[in-house]
Amino acid sequence: MSTTPDGSGAVPDGTRRLRLLQLASLTSTVDRFAIAPLLVPIAASFSAPLAAAAGAAGGYFLAYGLMQVVWGVLSDRIGRVRVMRLALVGAVLGGVASVLAPTLAVLVVARVVTGACTAALIPAALVYVGDTWPAAVRQRPLSDLLAATALGTAVATAGAGLLADLAGWRVVLGTTAAGSAVLFVALRALPEPDGGRTTSRGIADAVLRPLAAVAGNRWARLVLALAFVEGAVVLGVLTYLAPALQAGGSSAALAGLAAGGYGVGAVLFSRVVRRLVGRLRAAALAGTGGGFLVVAWVFPLVAVHPVTVAAAGLCLGGAWAFLHSTLQTWATEVVPQARATAVALFATLLFLGSSAGTALGAPLADAGRFAPLFAAALVVSVPLALVAAWTRARYARRAT
């Protein structure tokens, strides 16, 4: 069956394929975001400081980021779906090792392995969309993927804390491992897209040439820089919303529910973005997302309370839906001849930024100094919002 879209932008059997891609995004996101509400229980179970337990999150994000290019190149060689299923085998093994970890050091290593493997899922899904849907309508299925990641975030942040209170943090990680096993089976029904594999044999064709194409494009370099900063101030600092509440005496369940406002906001606003694609310019979407991001960090600076944390999460979800979807779509089109590499590098920089934000925030969080952490996120968010909107508008003018 052909996977080539027709002139109307429709994809044969596109709804079924998109649902499977959403399931991949959901699974990856649940595994990634489940760790935040677990940091305090993990630290307590191993009698370790919060900064040490945060290594389980920071190590995961670092591995997740560094493996993007590896999986991207491999997906060009063996196919998008094959690479997802291969990675899921490693994710299941890493998840089982996490459940059985006897020490915090073993847990950190197990989470690094898991992050390195789940790293394949979302970029492969994004490139699958890029291979299959035309550029004119591509942000719509990409918004649907973002909705799935947002739902996964809400499920993870709210559900992980509740499940940890009821059954312990090991059960949470076991549940995410089981989800990876289910996805491995489900992806048998997803066909490879046309053009999803290359026939090049040399290392220059497979790796160096696409990397050079991306590195030599100034717009691509800009998008990658924006992704790094966004990862730090959104995903990196977001990790500490739940611990900030727990430091004030809230349970893991309540903290997770409040921080889960991020997922709720991303789900709701991704629906709005989907309707606005084609009606508003990309720069306007980016500017709107940047506004959400700036407002988000004001709330926990006023007070760290379940209501303010939920409001911050809701606004961060809006930022993710508007700003991140715009940057992500930009990454799929800025170097079309090296799309898989560009998307992989975009994800790499996003999660390296996330790892950097988590690592830089760990000492402040361990000392209970969350206000300076949220203030730093606010300060960085302002230029990020302005630069993203301004440069996206300039790119649109140059492209016409």
Side-chain angles (χ1 to χ4, degrees):
M1 180 185 346
S2 174
T3 61
T4 305
D6 62 24
S8 67
V11 178
D13 209 12
T15 299
R16 180 174 63 87
R17 297 182 188 199
L18 185 57
R19 293 294 176 263
L20 288 170
L21 295 175
Q22 286 179 302
L23 181 61
S25 298
L26 177 76
T27 302
S28 176
T29 307
V30 168
D31 190 76
R32 188 168 74 248
F33 280 96
I35 193 66
L38 305 184
L39 293 181
V40 172
I42 287 172
S45 70
F46 290 115
S47 301
L50 179 60
Y60 185 108
F61 295 150
L62 181 62
Y64 196 105
L66 291 175
M67 284 297 293
Q68 299 295 317
V69 174
V70 176
W71 290 119
V73 170
L74 191 57
S75 77
D76 277 340
R77 303 301 295 270
I78 69 173
R80 318 303 183 203
V81 180
R82 286 186 181 90
V83 89
M84 285 193 281
R85 299 191 76 216
L86 175 65
L88 283 165
V89 174
V92 172
L93 295 176
V96 172
S98 300
V99 174
L100 301 176
T103 66
L104 180 57
V106 173
L107 175 64
V108 170
V109 171
R111 297 318 293 162
V112 167
V113 171
T114 309
C117 293
T118 55
L121 301 180
I122 293 179
L126 294 175
V127 177
Y128 194 109
V129 169
D131 290 338
T132 310
W133 274 264
V137 297
R138 191 175 297 149
Q139 193 163 354
R140 291 172 184 165
L142 289 177
S143 294
D144 288 334
L145 290 186
L146 279 181
T149 63
L151 178 60
T153 304
V155 170
T157 52
L162 180 60
L163 187 56
D165 275 352
L166 294 175
W169 60 266
R170 294 180 189 271
V171 174
V172 177
L173 299 182
T175 302
T176 61
S180 295
V182 171
L183 178 62
F184 174 83
V185 176
L187 286 181
R188 290 186 303 180
L190 183 65
E192 290 287 354
D194 291 343
R197 298 173 63 182
T198 63
T199 57
S200 64
R201 299 295 180 185
I203 188 67
D205 284 339
V207 181
L208 300 182
R209 192 169 297 171
L211 285 174
V214 176
N217 187 300
R218 67 188 183 96
W219 292 109
R221 294 195 302 269
L222 170 66
V223 175
L224 296 180
L226 292 173
F228 180 87
V229 179
E230 183 193 31
V233 299
V234 178
L235 300 181
V237 184
L238 172 65
T239 304
Y240 294 110
L241 281 179
L245 276 176
Q246 289 168 287
S250 296
S251 67
L254 178 59
L257 284 170
Y262 165 80
V264 174
V267 169
L268 294 177
F269 288 115
S270 67
R271 300 291 87 194
V272 177
V273 170
R274 199 179 195 283
R275 293 179 179 275
L276 292 177
V277 171
R279 299 180 183 180
L280 289 183
R281 295 179 179 178
L285 295 174
T288 302
F292 273 116
L293 180 59
V294 171
V295 172
W297 294 120
V298 173
F299 286 105
L301 280 174
V302 173
V304 176
H305 182 275
V307 173
T308 58
V309 167
L314 193 68
C315 288
L316 286 173
W320 192 253
F322 279 89
L323 176 59
H324 182 73
S325 72
T326 302
L327 295 178
Q328 189 170 263
T329 303
W330 197 359
T332 68
E333 65 185 54
V334 69
V335 190
Q337 72 274 24
R339 180 180 291 122
T341 300
V343 171
L345 286 172
F346 178 85
T348 295
L349 270 295
L350 179 73
F351 289 102
L352 287 179
S354 175
S355 181
T358 302
L360 291 173
L364 291 173
D366 195 41
R369 301 182 62 217
F370 292 98
L373 175 59
F374 298 142
L378 174 60
V379 169
V380 176
S381 295
V382 173
L384 170 62
L386 294 175
V387 171
W390 178 60
T391 55
R392 188 60 184 86
R394 285 194 62 196
Y395 177 79
R397 289 196 295 269
R398 295 287 182 92
T400 56

